[in-house]
Amino acid sequence: MRWLFSFLVLALLGAVQALSSSGSRLLVVLEELAEKDKYSEFWDDLRGRSYTLSFESPKNDKLSIFKHGERAYDHLILFPPKTKGLGPSLTPKLLLEFLKKDGNVLLTLSADHPTPSAIVSLLLELDIHLPTDRNALVIDHFNYDTVSAGEKHDVLLVPAPKALRADVKNYFEVDGTIAVPRAVGQGLGNTTPHLAPILRAGSSAYSYNPKDEAEIVEDPFAVGEQLSLVSAMQARNSARFTVVGSVEMLQNEWFDAKIGAVGSKEQTTTANRAFAAKVSEWTFKETGVLKVGRLQHYLNEGKKNVNESAVGVPEHNPGIYRIKTDVSYTIEISEYTSTHLSPFVPPTADDVQLEFSMLSPFHRLSLTPLAQTANSTIFGTSFVLPDQHGIFNFRVNYKRPFLTSVDEKRQVTVRHFAHDEWPRSWNISAAWVWIGGIWVTVAGWIAFVALWLYSEGVEKGVKKTQ
Amino acid sequence: MATSPVDPLLKQLTGPNTRSLLRVIILLTIAAAAVSSRLFSVIRFESIIHEFDPWFNFRATKYLVQNGFYSFWDWFDDRTWHPLGRVTGGTLYPGLMVTSGIIYHVLRFLTFPVDIRNICVLLAPGFSGLTAFATYLLTNEMVTSPSAGLLAAAFMGITPGYISRSVAGSYDNEAIAIFLLVFTFFLWIKAVKLGSVFWGALTALFYGYMVSAWGGYVFITNLLPLHAFVLICMGRYSPRLYVSYTSWYALGTLASMQIPFVGFLPIRSSEHMSALGVFGLLQIVGFVEFVRNQLPSRQFQTLLRALVLVIFAVSFGGLVLLTVSGVIAPWTGRFYSLWDTGYAKIHIPIIASVSEHQPTAWPAFFFDLSMMIWLFPAGVYMCFRKLTDEQVFIVIYAVLASYFAGVMVRLMLTLTPIVCVASAIAFSQILDTYMSIDSPTPEVQANGTPASASVAAASAMLPDGLRSTRNPIVGIYSYTSKLTVVAASTVYLMLFVMHCTWVTSNAYSSPSVVLASRLPDGSQHIIDDYREAYYWLRQNTPENAKIMSWWDYGYQIGGMADRPTLVDNNTWNNTHIATVGKAMSSREEVSYPIMRQHEVDYVLVVFGGLLGYSGDDINKFLWMVRIAEGIWPDEVKERNFFTARGEYRVDDEATPTMKNSLMYKMSYYNYNALFPAGQAQDRVRNTRLPAEGPQLTTIEEAFTSENWIIRIYKVKDLDNFGRDHGSAVAFDKGNKKKRAHKRKGARTLRVE
């Protein structure tokens, strides 16, 4: 029986041998299937990373991204439709539903055709703004490809993206320059924390409609680095949605095109292929995926925690503590990179933090890496519980751009001192006066009673003689 | 002549043994009547815990029985007052739970496997039998008449004023506390009469039990010192009083301080200071008496009297000073509201919002006490005639309790025992006078020596012409008048019994968890929405799902649904209740962050509009607003919930604040769907509702009970894509988002 079971497990393992952490069924929605050959290298790359690709036209009536209420595919690549929209099976509502069910979407835009309003409203829901002028594309008069767009300046040459901030990891580092032909620039909303630009236009770029014959652009949609060429949205459930401003940059011809920068004679090859791989890796959750392993909190009694059992065993953390006790907290975090789990190392300027909160945090502590196993880092800290009873949460709320969110909340009760946990009165030196007082009173009373009884007896004797 | 067994009784030939046997049988019958008249609710409905507070007591008892006494003592309850939790072991009166726990374990020991719920349901009726017995003892101490005690016991057994808090299932502190109250008073009277340390100590023991059972112990704490004080003022100081009072006070205070909830209150709070003051006064008076016995000089005595007054004044002044400086805790709000009935309404809405804290309406007195309401003054008057030490107690008790019963509905309970005792005294006086069969034989008096001087004087003054005045006999000897009065009394007694039974069965036997109504054909229809909803919660929500509701339902949710609640009927934290009030009375955008912060998963509201159930949340809503306004006067304003003409409306003319409040929305959400368009009708407030029903964005309907009494809403999680709920709902409905075309002012740039 056991061999059968292990065989089954092996078979299952073989079946799910994808590089993505969330499945390998990939649907490419392409209006004209003939066009797919233009992107064959991109497909080969994806197949090389063991995705099963299905190609469908949005006009296909039987197309459905759901089956029996569940996702039929794990990932979705949407090509810009030439007609008005993506059809009834890919409405914005269904696409958001797909994201809600942990599917990932790579949406590509093209400046060749006006972006359909369905896609515009979908992006608007995610606080990604497209130029109001549907034919606008991004132009840069200083960083364009001299080979292919010497006149129009609409093929941008953008250096490989650097880390967004010092405390954010960079998953899109490639060697060389990325060519972005005829891109639709996106403006990202300023309020939502779910958005992050992957590739930003140079500081001299601006959005412009070439069909608009005006000499001067007044009040452009966005300029400079505010224009995002490739942007990422990661929902609260860590579903990923990437907008690639230019579908052309994924084409075979741009994967190894020769480009020339302004002011330099030599021609180089684009890094588009590597960049496309990085973007698709990230979007389909091959990189930047965090996984929480064992999470422990325990009363720190000077000894090492006993709960050292294997991963997968349900947590045996205590549900109740007493105020003012020393508590340790450890959390095991791994990062998934393409093939395996590796120890997660936060960026240098960043910390994984633990909150111990009731209504508001009573402690907010940086977790220090205590140890590393083969595929995880164990972060931990110990602290003294506050002098406040109540229902508290150990919470690690680690949400960073490009990393799947970690929000681990463990509810514990912090109780008051029980009646027999206080120090005894004789251990408190200040109480000795009062203890002394009690015993003096007791002794005095006994002495008084003894005296009283003694003298009473004499009186009775006297009375009797009378 | 065959002598039937009843004859010796009729002829009063029986010895004391037979009489005491009879007395025991009568008392047992009274106890049985007391118990059985409280079982209406069990027979009509089922063996179920009633109302609100009893559900907590029941839950606490279950905890005690399961986990043992010490863990009950140290119980930290993390399922109430989320996320604050409640140090339950230290903030309750454990007497009730411990009593049922002991009964449970004794029965288990005797191999009676009784469910703890049945013990809890039947505890109050059981103790009412004991209360009747305690009343018998207390009354017997007051008068010599043997019938007064039995009458008082019978009155106490069935009077609605006491039944109201002790029907089967009403598992509240009062269930045992009234027995303890009456019994403590009996022991006190006994102690004062005998001047015995033993009885004083027994008083203290039962006083300690009373403290562990009910917050109303303060009544004893103040009544006994008042009695002692009045006796001293009447010049009736005696060593008996000294011994009984000091032994009660010293032991009783120590006993009361063992209850964690009471702790150091007896020496720190103002409510307990009178007992301490009288204790000190007694020492001084005792000392003065001692000195007076030693030095029999009149002038010295007056000097000492002056000294007593000075010391009393000084200590009283010191007390005031300590109170003002804060060493002694100042009077609590509940205490002020005893003197000024309008105080709570202005300053502590949370106290005023409880219906049983309202002043009593005068028909309630007749409703609860029936004919005793006019016998009671007569009994008190009779106590005035002799005014022995114990009758002084009756008078003081009567005056104080009548006042308090007039101030707060629920203090009717403390008035009831003394009313029973006083009326029994009056009634037994009537019966004793009119029921004695023996009448003097005129022949004996005519032939014999002149009976008494008064009779002789009377006969001398009256003319001899009338037969009745020839041989005048003072007293009531006419069978006609005897029969009339006795018959009238019997009718009154029977009416009393009928009234009590009627009130009990109609007014006080509803569990309020289960509602009963009559169908057109007269058959009973049970409306069981509360339990339906609570069991839905129990079976369909995660074990740790936090439920937000108004505090009235906190105990029931904890007891029946077994889910953590934000607030419950133990109203110790006004701010937390006000937080819930604010969440209920604000717009969704304001409420949602509050609910998120408190980790609320479900919101429960009670809505009576469909059924005409008037005790619903919309009718309680103004209290939520008021309590919230007390903490956030800038954010919640009661005025905004009234129309310009000062009306509280829910229809088309309701104010925008009212219509946008979470409570209004939750109550009327989807209610239109039940009616034809535009015909939605609220049967409690008898108004037609707006044609357009309210829309909810941050919460979604999870459950609505059969008769729509309970509606449960689930609080939505944050939107997956970081939108606000309003726009997320609008998007799901298919409304296109308007693009922000017109930017005002400078463009906000994104900074990474």
Side-chain angles (χ1 to χ4, degrees):
Chain A
M1 203 61 205
R2 184 168 288 175
W3 63 268
L4 191 73
F5 181 70
S6 42
F7 179 74
L8 202 71
V9 169
L10 270 177
L12 277 172
L13 273 176
V16 294
Q17 189 76 55
L19 293 181
S20 162
S21 64
S22 61
S24 61
R25 297 169 298 170
L26 173 60
L27 173 71
V28 182
V29 180
L30 201 62
E31 201 159 66
E32 285 168 42
L33 293 179
E35 265 193 2
K36 80 177 185 186
D37 292 340
K38 284 189 190 172
Y39 305 88
S40 59
E41 285 185 35
F42 186 49
W43 308 143
D44 289 343
D45 280 354
L46 287 172
R47 285 201 189 94
R49 303 211 307 273
S50 64
Y51 287 101
T52 14
L53 272 65
S54 336
F55 294 91
E56 289 285 352
S57 165
K59 289 169 184 163
N60 185 356
D61 291 337
K62 286 172 187 161
L63 169 66
S64 171
I65 46 175
F66 298 104
K67 193 177 181 185
H68 308 311
E70 289 298 321
R71 278 186 286 111
Y73 302 96
D74 301 311
H75 315 287
L76 210 58
I77 298 182
L78 298 173
F79 274 72
K82 294 189 173 104
T83 47
K84 275 200 82 179
L86 284 167
S89 51
L90 291 166
T91 58
K93 207 169 165 180
L94 287 172
L95 287 174
L96 285 190
E97 195 61 38
F98 186 74
L99 286 170
K100 273 183 196 165
K101 293 192 169 170
D102 298 323
N104 304 309
V105 177
L106 181 73
L107 173 76
T108 55
L109 301 174
S110 165
D112 294 345
H113 317 283
T115 313
S117 59
I119 289 180
V120 171
S121 71
L122 168 71
L123 292 179
L124 210 53
E125 284 302 308
L126 308 175
D127 214 8
I128 301 173
H129 304 265
L130 294 186
T132 36
D133 194 342
R134 293 282 171 86
N135 292 311
L137 45 80
V138 183
I139 285 182
D140 192 337
H141 298 304
F142 297 90
N143 301 303
Y144 59 91
D145 177 24
T146 49
V147 177
S148 62
E151 282 292 301
K152 288 185 167 174
H153 300 182
D154 54 359
V155 179
L156 274 64
L157 295 188
V158 188
K162 295 189 182 62
L164 207 54
R165 291 194 303 264
D167 59 346
V168 171
K169 280 197 171 190
N170 186 8
Y171 289 98
F172 310 98
E173 200 168 15
V174 287
D175 280 337
T177 318
I178 301 157
V180 188
R182 286 168 287 278
V184 180
Q186 305 120 40
L188 304 186
N190 211 3
T191 47
T192 159
H194 302 287
L195 292 172
I198 293 177
L199 190 67
R200 286 184 284 182
S203 53
S204 49
Y206 66 101
S207 182
Y208 169 69
N209 183 0
K211 287 166 188 156
D212 198 10
E213 299 285 306
E215 287 287 307
I216 311 159
V217 184
E218 279 184 19
D219 190 21
F221 162 69
V223 294
E225 298 209 319
Q226 292 296 313
L227 274 171
S228 177
L229 301 174
V230 180
S231 19
M233 199 283 310
Q234 187 171 258
R236 286 185 74 249
N237 63 351
S238 300
R240 286 170 175 179
F241 184 92
T242 307
V243 186
V244 176
S246 155
V247 68
E248 278 178 69
M249 67 187 283
L250 303 176
Q251 284 174 357
N252 294 350
E253 59 172 300
W254 285 103
F255 269 24
D256 49 4
K258 295 284 179 204
I259 47 165
V262 180
S264 104
K265 292 273 162 59
E266 67 174 308
Q267 293 195 345
T268 49
T269 321
T270 60
N272 276 21
R273 181 173 200 151
F275 181 69
K278 292 277 182 190
V279 168
S280 59
E281 272 175 11
W282 182 83
T283 310
F284 302 146
K285 287 192 183 165
E286 286 177 54
T287 53
V289 177
L290 296 184
K291 182 174 181 290
V292 174
R294 190 164 56 223
L295 190 155
Q296 291 181 320
H297 52 84
Y298 50 90
L299 204 58
N300 202 358
E301 288 163 321
K303 59 184 178 188
K304 205 150 171 9
N305 185 26
V306 281
N307 187 10
E308 289 288 353
S309 52
V311 182
V313 172
E315 289 174 24
H316 291 296
N317 290 324
I320 188 162
Y321 291 103
R322 203 198 65 205
I323 56 170
K324 296 203 266 190
T325 45
D326 201 1
V327 162
S328 285
Y329 180 92
T330 60
I331 183 169
E332 190 180 4
I333 304 180
S334 323
E335 183 178 355
Y336 182 83
T337 40
S338 297
T339 49
H340 62 285
L341 292 171
S342 56
F344 171 65
V345 183
T348 39
D350 195 19
D351 275 320
V352 183
Q353 287 186 320
L354 168 74
E355 280 180 5
F356 191 69
S357 59
M358 179 183 80
L359 295 178
S360 57
F362 280 61
H363 279 296
R364 187 179 282 139
L365 304 160
S366 292
L367 295 171
T368 46
L370 298 177
Q372 272 196 356
T373 63
N375 45 23
S376 66
T377 314
I378 297 172
F379 296 90
T381 189
S382 14
F383 61 99
V384 178
L385 295 184
D387 186 6
Q388 163 73 50
H389 53 70
I391 294 103
F392 284 81
N393 285 310
F394 285 105
R395 187 174 188 202
V396 171
N397 187 11
Y398 187 70
K399 288 173 181 149
R400 297 292 182 273
F402 307 129
L403 285 175
T404 55
S405 46
V406 171
D407 192 350
E408 294 292 331
K409 212 156 109 172
R410 295 291 182 279
Q411 181 182 310
V412 290
T413 304
V414 178
R415 65 172 171 84
H416 60 298
F417 276 93
H419 73 282
D420 53 355
E421 286 174 335
W422 300 93
R424 298 312 304 252
S425 58
W426 56 79
N427 290 331
I428 308 166
S429 55
W432 291 347
V433 183
W434 309 103
I435 298 170
I438 291 170
W439 287 108
V440 165
T441 313
V442 169
W445 188 75
I446 290 172
F448 171 78
V449 169
L451 193 70
W452 175 267
L453 291 176
Y454 177 71
S455 49
E456 188 83 351
V458 170
E459 211 174 298
K460 268 186 184 170
V462 172
K463 270 183 185 170
K464 268 180 187 170
T465 50
Q466 279 176 345
Chain B
M1 215 166 102
T3 51
S4 70
V6 195
D7 268 357
L9 297 177
L10 292 176
K11 290 174 183 168
Q12 299 204 343
L13 295 174
T14 49
N17 280 336
T18 325
R19 284 182 164 239
S20 48
L21 177 69
L22 258 183
R23 201 162 287 176
V24 167
I25 290 171
I26 292 171
L27 278 173
L28 284 177
T29 322
I30 288 172
V35 172
S36 51
S37 73
R38 283 162 170 80
L39 297 182
F40 276 111
S41 60
V42 173
I43 293 161
R44 291 229 183 104
F45 299 97
E46 60 192 280
S47 171
I48 185 185
I49 303 287
H50 289 193
E51 301 205 318
F52 305 105
D53 286 25
W55 276 102
F56 168 74
N57 298 330
F58 177 50
R59 184 165 155 254
T61 312
K62 278 201 287 189
Y63 187 89
L64 168 70
V65 168
Q66 275 161 15
N67 297 294
F69 182 72
Y70 278 117
S71 71
F72 175 68
W73 200 247
D74 297 326
W75 185 19
F76 181 77
D77 190 356
D78 53 5
R79 298 181 78 76
T80 56
W81 292 95
H82 185 85
L84 307 171
R86 176 182 172 194
V87 185
T88 312
T91 54
L92 51 63
Y93 293 102
L96 182 73
M97 299 96 194
V98 172
T99 307
S100 4
I102 289 171
I103 294 174
Y104 176 75
H105 284 299
V106 166
L107 289 178
R108 298 279 288 208
F109 178 73
L110 298 174
T111 66
F112 291 112
V114 179
D115 185 13
I116 185 72
R117 179 177 53 106
N118 288 325
I119 293 174
C120 294
V121 166
L122 295 176
L123 189 76
F127 265 85
S128 70
L130 288 177
T131 313
F133 179 64
T135 315
Y136 165 77
L137 292 176
L138 179 66
T139 318
N140 265 4
E141 291 302 317
M142 298 298 166
V143 282
T144 47
S145 161
S147 62
L150 292 173
L151 266 175
F155 287 163
M156 194 64 197
I158 59 169
T159 178
Y162 175 42
I163 286 186
S164 67
R165 308 308 296 262
S166 64
V167 288
S170 167
Y171 181 57
D172 214 344
N173 289 334
E174 289 91 331
I176 62 170
I178 294 303
F179 161 68
L180 293 170
L181 182 87
V182 177
F183 200 70
T184 311
F185 285 149
F186 157 70
L187 290 171
W188 164 249
I189 296 298
K190 198 86 180 165
V192 170
K193 268 184 162 179
L194 299 176
S196 125
V197 178
F198 172 69
W199 287 100
L202 270 184
T203 315
L205 189 70
F206 273 85
Y207 171 72
Y209 190 7
M210 172 78 183
V211 175
S212 79
W214 193 35
Y217 75 90
V218 183
F219 186 60
I220 305 185
T221 320
N222 286 296
L223 194 62
L224 300 195
L226 189 65
H227 184 211
F229 184 69
V230 169
L231 288 182
I232 293 169
C233 291
M234 289 168 79
R236 294 197 185 183
Y237 170 81
S238 64
R240 287 183 288 113
L241 183 66
Y242 181 84
V243 168
S244 52
Y245 187 84
T246 44
S247 50
W248 165 73
Y249 180 73
L251 294 175
T253 306
L254 280 178
S256 66
M257 287 168 78
Q258 304 309 309
I259 309 300
F261 192 29
V262 177
F264 279 87
L265 279 183
I267 54 170
R268 295 209 55 176
S269 91
S270 307
E271 283 97 328
H272 298 77
M273 281 304 121
S274 64
L276 179 65
V278 170
F279 179 70
L281 185 71
L282 262 179
Q283 309 306 319
I284 296 162
V285 173
F287 177 70
V288 170
E289 290 292 320
F290 173 73
V291 171
R292 187 169 68 175
N293 289 343
Q294 305 299 316
L295 305 168
S297 151
R298 274 186 174 272
Q299 284 164 347
F300 195 64
Q301 278 176 30
T302 43
L303 194 72
L304 277 174
R305 265 171 211 247
L307 197 68
V308 167
L309 281 176
V310 165
I311 290 173
F312 182 71
V314 165
S315 55
F316 185 74
L319 205 66
V320 170
L321 205 70
L322 285 175
T323 310
V324 170
S325 65
V327 176
I328 295 173
W331 308 104
T332 58
R334 266 171 225 257
F335 181 81
Y336 282 125
S337 58
L338 277 184
W339 307 108
D340 177 5
T341 47
Y343 180 87
K345 207 163 191 176
I346 304 162
H347 299 280
I348 338 161
I350 196 145
I351 289 181
S353 75
V354 183
S355 62
E356 60 184 24
H357 289 166
Q358 306 297 334
T360 319
W362 64 264
F365 281 98
F366 180 76
F367 194 69
D368 277 356
L369 302 170
S370 183
M371 69 160 185
M372 291 195 292
I373 206 64
W374 47 262
L375 278 173
F376 167 53
V380 175
Y381 165 73
M382 279 168 184
C383 290
F384 261 113
R385 287 204 308 190
K386 273 195 215 151
L387 216 61
T388 54
D389 286 358
E390 60 270 16
Q391 282 164 343
V392 170
F393 180 78
I394 295 273
V395 173
I396 297 167
Y397 186 176
V399 171
L400 269 187
S402 325
Y403 174 76
F404 289 139
V407 172
M408 257 192 212
V409 174
R410 77 165 179 173
L411 291 182
M412 186 69 93
L413 201 59
T414 51
L415 174 69
T416 309
I418 193 61
V419 169
C420 291
V421 170
S423 335
I425 291 172
F427 211 86
S428 69
Q429 183 79 21
I430 296 172
L431 290 185
D432 285 350
T433 314
Y434 286 95
M435 264 177 90
S436 57
I437 308 170
D438 56 325
S439 49
T441 41
E443 292 81 19
V444 177
Q445 282 203 347
N447 296 339
T449 50
S452 60
S454 61
V455 174
S459 53
M461 281 161 70
L462 291 166
D464 283 352
L466 292 171
R467 205 153 53 115
S468 59
T469 55
R470 213 171 289 148
N471 294 305
I473 304 160
V474 177
I476 299 148
Y477 297 113
S478 149
Y479 282 108
T480 327
S481 53
K482 276 182 189 173
L483 270 177
T484 319
V485 172
V486 169
S489 311
T490 318
V491 167
Y492 276 126
L493 282 176
M494 285 168 75
L495 278 177
F496 178 68
V497 171
M498 279 167 67
H499 174 85
C500 292
T501 317
W502 179 80
V503 168
T504 308
S505 107
N506 282 294
Y508 293 138
S509 293
S510 165
S512 90
V513 175
V514 183
L515 309 170
S517 70
R518 296 253 167 232
L519 291 178
D521 63 354
S523 63
Q524 196 180 36
H525 177 62
I526 301 278
I527 295 163
D528 209 356
D529 279 37
Y530 279 98
R531 287 197 293 179
E532 184 192 349
Y534 294 145
Y535 286 131
W536 183 88
L537 279 178
R538 201 185 183 103
Q539 288 168 356
N540 294 285
T541 60
E543 201 189 354
N544 266 332
K546 283 88 188 171
I547 318 288
M548 181 171 92
S549 69
W550 190 233
W551 60 264
D552 296 20
Y553 316 107
Y555 279 161
Q556 289 187 346
I557 295 171
M560 281 188 260
D562 190 27
R563 291 290 173 273
T565 52
L566 257 70
V567 290
D568 63 29
N569 310 46
N570 174 262
T571 53
W572 64 275
N573 189 331
N574 190 30
T575 314
H576 210 55
I577 291 178
T579 307
V580 173
K582 186 185 170 190
M584 294 286 195
S585 53
S586 305
R587 289 175 299 122
E588 273 187 83
E589 294 77 30
V590 181
S591 310
Y592 187 68
I594 298 176
M595 296 193 284
R596 289 287 302 175
Q597 192 189 20
H598 290 80
E599 301 173 298
V600 175
D601 295 305
Y602 292 91
V603 189
L604 182 147
V605 286
V606 174
F607 172 65
L610 182 66
L611 209 64
Y613 172 62
S614 61
D616 69 349
D617 276 346
I618 289 285
N619 277 358
K620 291 174 185 169
F621 190 36
L622 282 180
W623 288 113
M624 303 180 203
V625 174
R626 276 175 206 147
I627 291 167
E629 191 181 11
I631 305 286
W632 292 280
D634 297 334
E635 296 174 63
V636 184
K637 290 191 180 71
E638 190 185 348
R639 184 66 193 86
N640 294 341
F641 289 85
F642 289 101
T643 59
R645 288 166 61 200
E647 290 167 314
Y648 179 66
R649 305 186 72 138
V650 295
D651 55 3
D652 270 321
E653 287 171 47
T655 60
T657 319
M658 179 77 189
K659 278 185 173 170
N660 287 324
S661 67
L662 190 66
M663 174 57 74
Y664 180 90
K665 285 185 171 183
M666 286 193 293
S667 291
Y668 294 112
Y669 181 69
N670 259 351
Y671 187 56
N672 297 34
L674 279 183
F675 298 87
Q679 302 281 309
Q681 181 87 13
D682 184 327
R683 291 191 185 129
V684 174
R685 288 152 284 270
N686 278 326
T687 45
R688 178 168 293 184
L689 293 168
E692 192 90 340
Q695 302 295 324
L696 286 170
T697 55
T698 58
I699 54 177
E700 56 194 351
E701 187 175 358
F703 175 81
T704 295
S705 64
E706 187 189 350
N707 298 299
W708 288 57
I709 288 185
I710 306 257
R711 311 199 66 188
I712 299 170
Y713 290 86
K714 188 179 192 327
V715 180
K716 283 186 195 167
D717 199 0
L718 286 170
D719 183 62
N720 197 25
F721 308 106
R723 300 169 291 180
D724 61 290
H725 285 101
S727 48
V729 168
F731 174 78
D732 285 344
K733 283 189 177 155
N735 299 346
K736 285 237 172 80
K737 197 173 188 175
K738 288 270 168 62
R739 296 186 62 146
H741 268 304
K742 290 167 193 165
R743 291 206 186 87
K744 283 174 190 166
R747 199 177 280 187
T748 48
L749 296 183
R750 186 179 166 93
V751 183
E752 295 302 332

